[in-house]
Amino acid sequence: MISVLLVDDDAIVRAGLRLMLGGAPDIELVAEGAGGSEVPGLVAAHGPDLVLMDVRMPGVDGLAATEALRARPGAPEVLVLTTFHTDEHVLRALRAGAAGFLLKDTPPQEIVTAIRTVAAGDPVLSPAVTRRLIDRVAGGTGQGSRAATARARLALLAGREREVAAAVGRGLSNAEIGRELHLALPTVKTHVSRILTRLGHNSRFRIALLVHDADEPV
């Protein structure tokens, strides 16, 4: 079973998501919260595998709650509920360590699939969306300095780890990386975990941003 904590200040939205998740035999909604300030206590009490988090909430919003939660060792994965036109919010969520984001009008079955995908160790952004967000970051100032820093960080990786990092940077899933590099899925997951540890990151999206910042084959 995949245990889920739902955090949203809209009771109607929570009711709809509760009904939807109740129809999935492999997903258990273990608790609900109405604001980001409730997240630490609910996570400690229920130990969910994943937090489905709204962005805009009074007090502590979903982005701040995600940043605080994912900074802790052993934190659950986070799927952020948002609206796509707020690119800055999406980028902040991904840099904070969220596993991805969902639109509020995402069809129910796609939300269920996204939860399963994240629980299996993969993000929920398509390669096209990942590239759009990465390109937005790359268009900022200080690109030369950022590239030098990224290249120095990637130099910490061993040969096979660099190949896996490059594939992550192209938005490939673990299964796709395995097929491309002729690696077993558990081996790919091990490499991704080691890369995150070496680089001090908590999300594969941070790997993708780093690869793109380096602006050279890795």
Side-chain angles (χ1 to χ4, degrees), residues 123-151:
V124 296
L125 288 182
S126 69
V129 173
T130 301
R131 180 56 54 190
R132 171 184 171 178
L133 295 176
I134 291 173
D135 286 345
R136 179 179 174 86
V137 174
T141 58
Q143 191 167 349
S145 174
R146 187 170 60 242
T149 299
R151 290 167 189 165

PDB file of all heavy atoms in Angstrom, residues 123-151:
ATOM      1  N   PRO A 123       9.782  10.682 -11.358  1.00  0.00           N
ATOM      2  CA  PRO A 123       9.033  11.935 -11.273  1.00  0.00           C
ATOM      3  C   PRO A 123       7.809  11.901 -12.168  1.00  0.00           C
ATOM      4  O   PRO A 123       7.612  10.961 -12.934  1.00  0.00           O
ATOM      5  CB  PRO A 123      10.048  12.976 -11.781  1.00  0.00           C
ATOM      6  CG  PRO A 123      10.866  12.207 -12.765  1.00  0.00           C
ATOM      7  CD  PRO A 123      10.991  10.818 -12.192  1.00  0.00           C
ATOM      8  N   VAL A 124       6.981  12.933 -12.086  1.00  0.00           N
ATOM      9  CA  VAL A 124       5.756  12.967 -12.884  1.00  0.00           C
ATOM     10  C   VAL A 124       5.778  14.046 -13.964  1.00  0.00           C
ATOM     11  O   VAL A 124       4.790  14.227 -14.654  1.00  0.00           O
ATOM     12  CB  VAL A 124       4.512  13.171 -11.985  1.00  0.00           C
ATOM     13  CG1 VAL A 124       4.332  12.005 -11.049  1.00  0.00           C
ATOM     14  CG2 VAL A 124       4.615  14.474 -11.204  1.00  0.00           C
ATOM     15  N   LEU A 125       6.880  14.728 -14.152  1.00  0.00           N
ATOM     16  CA  LEU A 125       6.986  15.689 -15.241  1.00  0.00           C
ATOM     17  C   LEU A 125       7.387  14.970 -16.516  1.00  0.00           C
ATOM     18  O   LEU A 125       8.290  14.145 -16.516  1.00  0.00           O
ATOM     19  CB  LEU A 125       8.050  16.746 -14.923  1.00  0.00           C
ATOM     20  CG  LEU A 125       7.727  17.775 -13.842  1.00  0.00           C
ATOM     21  CD1 LEU A 125       8.879  18.755 -13.705  1.00  0.00           C
ATOM     22  CD2 LEU A 125       6.455  18.515 -14.169  1.00  0.00           C
ATOM     23  N   SER A 126       6.739  15.309 -17.613  1.00  0.00           N
ATOM     24  CA  SER A 126       7.140  14.767 -18.897  1.00  0.00           C
ATOM     25  C   SER A 126       8.457  15.412 -19.315  1.00  0.00           C
ATOM     26  O   SER A 126       8.796  16.501 -18.854  1.00  0.00           O
ATOM     27  CB  SER A 126       6.077  15.063 -19.955  1.00  0.00           C
ATOM     28  OG  SER A 126       6.053  16.447 -20.240  1.00  0.00           O
ATOM     29  N   PRO A 127       9.237  14.772 -20.199  1.00  0.00           N
ATOM     30  CA  PRO A 127      10.476  15.389 -20.663  1.00  0.00           C
ATOM     31  C   PRO A 127      10.275  16.785 -21.242  1.00  0.00           C
ATOM     32  O   PRO A 127      11.090  17.666 -21.046  1.00  0.00           O
ATOM     33  CB  PRO A 127      10.974  14.402 -21.731  1.00  0.00           C
ATOM     34  CG  PRO A 127      10.427  13.087 -21.289  1.00  0.00           C
ATOM     35  CD  PRO A 127       9.073  13.409 -20.699  1.00  0.00           C
ATOM     36  N   ALA A 128       9.165  16.999 -21.962  1.00  0.00           N
ATOM     37  CA  ALA A 128       8.925  18.307 -22.572  1.00  0.00           C
ATOM     38  C   ALA A 128       8.740  19.381 -21.513  1.00  0.00           C
ATOM     39  O   ALA A 128       9.265  20.492 -21.628  1.00  0.00           O
ATOM     40  CB  ALA A 128       7.693  18.240 -23.477  1.00  0.00           C
ATOM     41  N   VAL A 129       7.997  19.056 -20.466  1.00  0.00           N
ATOM     42  CA  VAL A 129       7.780  20.033 -19.400  1.00  0.00           C
ATOM     43  C   VAL A 129       9.076  20.270 -18.638  1.00  0.00           C
ATOM     44  O   VAL A 129       9.420  21.400 -18.293  1.00  0.00           O
ATOM     45  CB  VAL A 129       6.667  19.552 -18.447  1.00  0.00           C
ATOM     46  CG1 VAL A 129       6.557  20.483 -17.246  1.00  0.00           C
ATOM     47  CG2 VAL A 129       5.348  19.501 -19.189  1.00  0.00           C
ATOM     48  N   THR A 130       9.824  19.197 -18.389  1.00  0.00           N
ATOM     49  CA  THR A 130      11.110  19.339 -17.715  1.00  0.00           C
ATOM     50  C   THR A 130      12.009  20.281 -18.501  1.00  0.00           C
ATOM     51  O   THR A 130      12.644  21.169 -17.939  1.00  0.00           O
ATOM     52  CB  THR A 130      11.797  17.965 -17.573  1.00  0.00           C
ATOM     53  OG1 THR A 130      10.952  17.097 -16.832  1.00  0.00           O
ATOM     54  CG2 THR A 130      13.130  18.093 -16.868  1.00  0.00           C
ATOM     55  N   ARG A 131      12.071  20.090 -19.818  1.00  0.00           N
ATOM     56  CA  ARG A 131      12.935  20.939 -20.644  1.00  0.00           C
ATOM     57  C   ARG A 131      12.475  22.384 -20.616  1.00  0.00           C
ATOM     58  O   ARG A 131      13.287  23.300 -20.560  1.00  0.00           O
ATOM     59  CB  ARG A 131      12.931  20.403 -22.081  1.00  0.00           C
ATOM     60  CG  ARG A 131      13.789  21.207 -23.058  1.00  0.00           C
ATOM     61  CD  ARG A 131      15.216  21.312 -22.579  1.00  0.00           C
ATOM     62  NE  ARG A 131      15.787  20.005 -22.314  1.00  0.00           N
ATOM     63  CZ  ARG A 131      16.951  19.826 -21.702  1.00  0.00           C
ATOM     64  NH1 ARG A 131      17.642  20.863 -21.295  1.00  0.00           N
ATOM     65  NH2 ARG A 131      17.414  18.606 -21.497  1.00  0.00           N
ATOM     66  N   ARG A 132      11.172  22.617 -20.622  1.00  0.00           N
ATOM     67  CA  ARG A 132      10.668  23.996 -20.584  1.00  0.00           C
ATOM     68  C   ARG A 132      11.122  24.699 -19.316  1.00  0.00           C
ATOM     69  O   ARG A 132      11.586  25.833 -19.335  1.00  0.00           O
ATOM     70  CB  ARG A 132       9.148  24.001 -20.669  1.00  0.00           C
ATOM     71  CG  ARG A 132       8.555  25.382 -20.410  1.00  0.00           C
ATOM     72  CD  ARG A 132       7.045  25.377 -20.399  1.00  0.00           C
ATOM     73  NE  ARG A 132       6.529  26.659 -19.941  1.00  0.00           N
ATOM     74  CZ  ARG A 132       5.248  26.962 -19.870  1.00  0.00           C
ATOM     75  NH1 ARG A 132       4.358  26.065 -20.227  1.00  0.00           N
ATOM     76  NH2 ARG A 132       4.854  28.137 -19.432  1.00  0.00           N
ATOM     77  N   LEU A 133      10.997  24.013 -18.188  1.00  0.00           N
ATOM     78  CA  LEU A 133      11.378  24.609 -16.920  1.00  0.00           C
ATOM     79  C   LEU A 133      12.885  24.814 -16.835  1.00  0.00           C
ATOM     80  O   LEU A 133      13.367  25.833 -16.345  1.00  0.00           O
ATOM     81  CB  LEU A 133      10.897  23.730 -15.767  1.00  0.00           C
ATOM     82  CG  LEU A 133       9.382  23.604 -15.643  1.00  0.00           C
ATOM     83  CD1 LEU A 133       9.017  22.629 -14.530  1.00  0.00           C
ATOM     84  CD2 LEU A 133       8.746  24.960 -15.387  1.00  0.00           C
ATOM     85  N   ILE A 134      13.654  23.831 -17.316  1.00  0.00           N
ATOM     86  CA  ILE A 134      15.106  23.970 -17.294  1.00  0.00           C
ATOM     87  C   ILE A 134      15.544  25.130 -18.178  1.00  0.00           C
ATOM     88  O   ILE A 134      16.420  25.914 -17.819  1.00  0.00           O
ATOM     89  CB  ILE A 134      15.768  22.656 -17.753  1.00  0.00           C
ATOM     90  CG1 ILE A 134      15.560  21.566 -16.698  1.00  0.00           C
ATOM     91  CG2 ILE A 134      17.262  22.841 -18.015  1.00  0.00           C
ATOM     92  CD1 ILE A 134      16.037  20.202 -17.129  1.00  0.00           C
ATOM     93  N   ASP A 135      14.941  25.267 -19.355  1.00  0.00           N
ATOM     94  CA  ASP A 135      15.283  26.363 -20.250  1.00  0.00           C
ATOM     95  C   ASP A 135      14.994  27.711 -19.609  1.00  0.00           C
ATOM     96  O   ASP A 135      15.717  28.687 -19.823  1.00  0.00           O
ATOM     97  CB  ASP A 135      14.501  26.241 -21.562  1.00  0.00           C
ATOM     98  CG  ASP A 135      15.041  25.132 -22.448  1.00  0.00           C
ATOM     99  OD1 ASP A 135      16.170  24.662 -22.190  1.00  0.00           O
ATOM    100  OD2 ASP A 135      14.333  24.719 -23.385  1.00  0.00           O
ATOM    101  N   ARG A 136      13.950  27.768 -18.821  1.00  0.00           N
ATOM    102  CA  ARG A 136      13.616  29.027 -18.135  1.00  0.00           C
ATOM    103  C   ARG A 136      14.701  29.394 -17.147  1.00  0.00           C
ATOM    104  O   ARG A 136      15.125  30.539 -17.059  1.00  0.00           O
ATOM    105  CB  ARG A 136      12.271  28.894 -17.420  1.00  0.00           C
ATOM    106  CG  ARG A 136      11.863  30.155 -16.664  1.00  0.00           C
ATOM    107  CD  ARG A 136      10.508  29.983 -16.000  1.00  0.00           C
ATOM    108  NE  ARG A 136      10.191  31.126 -15.176  1.00  0.00           N
ATOM    109  CZ  ARG A 136       9.616  32.239 -15.612  1.00  0.00           C
ATOM    110  NH1 ARG A 136       9.293  32.337 -16.880  1.00  0.00           N
ATOM    111  NH2 ARG A 136       9.361  33.238 -14.797  1.00  0.00           N
ATOM    112  N   VAL A 137      15.174  28.399 -16.405  1.00  0.00           N
ATOM    113  CA  VAL A 137      16.259  28.657 -15.451  1.00  0.00           C
ATOM    114  C   VAL A 137      17.516  29.086 -16.188  1.00  0.00           C
ATOM    115  O   VAL A 137      18.228  30.012 -15.790  1.00  0.00           O
ATOM    116  CB  VAL A 137      16.542  27.390 -14.614  1.00  0.00           C
ATOM    117  CG1 VAL A 137      17.754  27.598 -13.728  1.00  0.00           C
ATOM    118  CG2 VAL A 137      15.339  27.054 -13.747  1.00  0.00           C
ATOM    119  N   ALA A 138      17.830  28.405 -17.284  1.00  0.00           N
ATOM    120  CA  ALA A 138      19.059  28.675 -18.017  1.00  0.00           C
ATOM    121  C   ALA A 138      19.064  30.059 -18.638  1.00  0.00           C
ATOM    122  O   ALA A 138      20.127  30.587 -18.961  1.00  0.00           O
ATOM    123  CB  ALA A 138      19.251  27.631 -19.114  1.00  0.00           C
ATOM    124  N   GLY A 139      17.894  30.667 -18.800  1.00  0.00           N
ATOM    125  CA  GLY A 139      17.831  31.985 -19.406  1.00  0.00           C
ATOM    126  C   GLY A 139      18.135  33.117 -18.456  1.00  0.00           C
ATOM    127  O   GLY A 139      18.140  34.273 -18.857  1.00  0.00           O
ATOM    128  N   GLY A 140      18.424  32.823 -17.192  1.00  0.00           N
ATOM    129  CA  GLY A 140      18.686  33.862 -16.202  1.00  0.00           C
ATOM    130  C   GLY A 140      20.090  34.414 -16.307  1.00  0.00           C
ATOM    131  O   GLY A 140      20.859  34.125 -17.218  1.00  0.00           O
ATOM    132  N   THR A 141      20.462  35.251 -15.335  1.00  0.00           N
ATOM    133  CA  THR A 141      21.763  35.882 -15.316  1.00  0.00           C
ATOM    134  C   THR A 141      22.769  34.974 -14.632  1.00  0.00           C
ATOM    135  O   THR A 141      22.431  34.017 -13.956  1.00  0.00           O
ATOM    136  CB  THR A 141      21.681  37.220 -14.563  1.00  0.00           C
ATOM    137  OG1 THR A 141      21.212  36.971 -13.236  1.00  0.00           O
ATOM    138  CG2 THR A 141      20.735  38.178 -15.257  1.00  0.00           C
ATOM    139  N   GLY A 142      24.052  35.310 -14.806  1.00  0.00           N
ATOM    140  CA  GLY A 142      25.107  34.554 -14.167  1.00  0.00           C
ATOM    141  C   GLY A 142      25.305  33.175 -14.760  1.00  0.00           C
ATOM    142  O   GLY A 142      25.753  32.253 -14.088  1.00  0.00           O
ATOM    143  N   GLN A 143      25.015  33.032 -16.058  1.00  0.00           N
ATOM    144  CA  GLN A 143      25.041  31.710 -16.668  1.00  0.00           C
ATOM    145  C   GLN A 143      26.441  31.125 -16.699  1.00  0.00           C
ATOM    146  O   GLN A 143      26.627  29.930 -16.483  1.00  0.00           O
ATOM    147  CB  GLN A 143      24.469  31.793 -18.085  1.00  0.00           C
ATOM    148  CG  GLN A 143      24.207  30.430 -18.724  1.00  0.00           C
ATOM    149  CD  GLN A 143      23.369  30.552 -19.971  1.00  0.00           C
ATOM    150  OE1 GLN A 143      22.812  31.610 -20.258  1.00  0.00           O
ATOM    151  NE2 GLN A 143      23.257  29.485 -20.711  1.00  0.00           N
ATOM    152  N   GLY A 144      27.475  31.973 -16.966  1.00  0.00           N
ATOM    153  CA  GLY A 144      28.837  31.464 -17.019  1.00  0.00           C
ATOM    154  C   GLY A 144      29.297  30.924 -15.682  1.00  0.00           C
ATOM    155  O   GLY A 144      29.877  29.832 -15.601  1.00  0.00           O
ATOM    156  N   SER A 145      29.044  31.675 -14.638  1.00  0.00           N
ATOM    157  CA  SER A 145      29.424  31.225 -13.296  1.00  0.00           C
ATOM    158  C   SER A 145      28.661  29.974 -12.909  1.00  0.00           C
ATOM    159  O   SER A 145      29.222  29.048 -12.300  1.00  0.00           O
ATOM    160  CB  SER A 145      29.151  32.349 -12.292  1.00  0.00           C
ATOM    161  OG  SER A 145      29.368  31.899 -10.975  1.00  0.00           O
ATOM    162  N   ARG A 146      27.372  29.919 -13.255  1.00  0.00           N
ATOM    163  CA  ARG A 146      26.553  28.756 -12.922  1.00  0.00           C
ATOM    164  C   ARG A 146      27.062  27.516 -13.657  1.00  0.00           C
ATOM    165  O   ARG A 146      27.116  26.420 -13.097  1.00  0.00           O
ATOM    166  CB  ARG A 146      25.094  29.030 -13.286  1.00  0.00           C
ATOM    167  CG  ARG A 146      24.148  27.931 -12.813  1.00  0.00           C
ATOM    168  CD  ARG A 146      22.691  28.342 -12.965  1.00  0.00           C
ATOM    169  NE  ARG A 146      22.342  28.638 -14.328  1.00  0.00           N
ATOM    170  CZ  ARG A 146      21.918  29.839 -14.746  1.00  0.00           C
ATOM    171  NH1 ARG A 146      21.811  30.834 -13.905  1.00  0.00           N
ATOM    172  NH2 ARG A 146      21.607  30.042 -16.017  1.00  0.00           N
ATOM    173  N   ALA A 147      27.490  27.692 -14.917  1.00  0.00           N
ATOM    174  CA  ALA A 147      27.998  26.563 -15.690  1.00  0.00           C
ATOM    175  C   ALA A 147      29.279  26.019 -15.076  1.00  0.00           C
ATOM    176  O   ALA A 147      29.469  24.802 -14.969  1.00  0.00           O
ATOM    177  CB  ALA A 147      28.241  26.980 -17.137  1.00  0.00           C
ATOM    178  N   ALA A 148      30.170  26.911 -14.658  1.00  0.00           N
ATOM    179  CA  ALA A 148      31.431  26.470 -14.050  1.00  0.00           C
ATOM    180  C   ALA A 148      31.170  25.710 -12.762  1.00  0.00           C
ATOM    181  O   ALA A 148      31.803  24.676 -12.493  1.00  0.00           O
ATOM    182  CB  ALA A 148      32.329  27.676 -13.791  1.00  0.00           C
ATOM    183  N   THR A 149      30.244  26.201 -11.970  1.00  0.00           N
ATOM    184  CA  THR A 149      29.908  25.529 -10.721  1.00  0.00           C
ATOM    185  C   THR A 149      29.300  24.157 -10.992  1.00  0.00           C
ATOM    186  O   THR A 149      29.639  23.169 -10.337  1.00  0.00           O
ATOM    187  CB  THR A 149      28.913  26.379  -9.910  1.00  0.00           C
ATOM    188  OG1 THR A 149      29.518  27.646  -9.606  1.00  0.00           O
ATOM    189  CG2 THR A 149      28.538  25.686  -8.615  1.00  0.00           C
ATOM    190  N   ALA A 150      28.401  24.091 -11.981  1.00  0.00           N
ATOM    191  CA  ALA A 150      27.756  22.825 -12.310  1.00  0.00           C
ATOM    192  C   ALA A 150      28.776  21.806 -12.794  1.00  0.00           C
ATOM    193  O   ALA A 150      28.731  20.627 -12.427  1.00  0.00           O
ATOM    194  CB  ALA A 150      26.683  23.049 -13.369  1.00  0.00           C
ATOM    195  N   ARG A 151      29.722  22.230 -13.620  1.00  0.00           N
ATOM    196  CA  ARG A 151      30.735  21.304 -14.132  1.00  0.00           C
ATOM    197  C   ARG A 151      31.607  20.771 -13.001  1.00  0.00           C
ATOM    198  O   ARG A 151      31.976  19.588 -12.992  1.00  0.00           O
ATOM    199  CB  ARG A 151      31.594  22.011 -15.179  1.00  0.00           C
ATOM    200  CG  ARG A 151      30.845  22.292 -16.464  1.00  0.00           C
ATOM    201  CD  ARG A 151      31.583  23.260 -17.352  1.00  0.00           C
ATOM    202  NE  ARG A 151      30.737  23.666 -18.489  1.00  0.00           N
ATOM    203  CZ  ARG A 151      31.001  24.713 -19.256  1.00  0.00           C
ATOM    204  NH1 ARG A 151      32.061  25.468 -19.018  1.00  0.00           N
ATOM    205  NH2 ARG A 151      30.187  25.002 -20.258  1.00  0.00           N
TER     206      ARG A 151
END
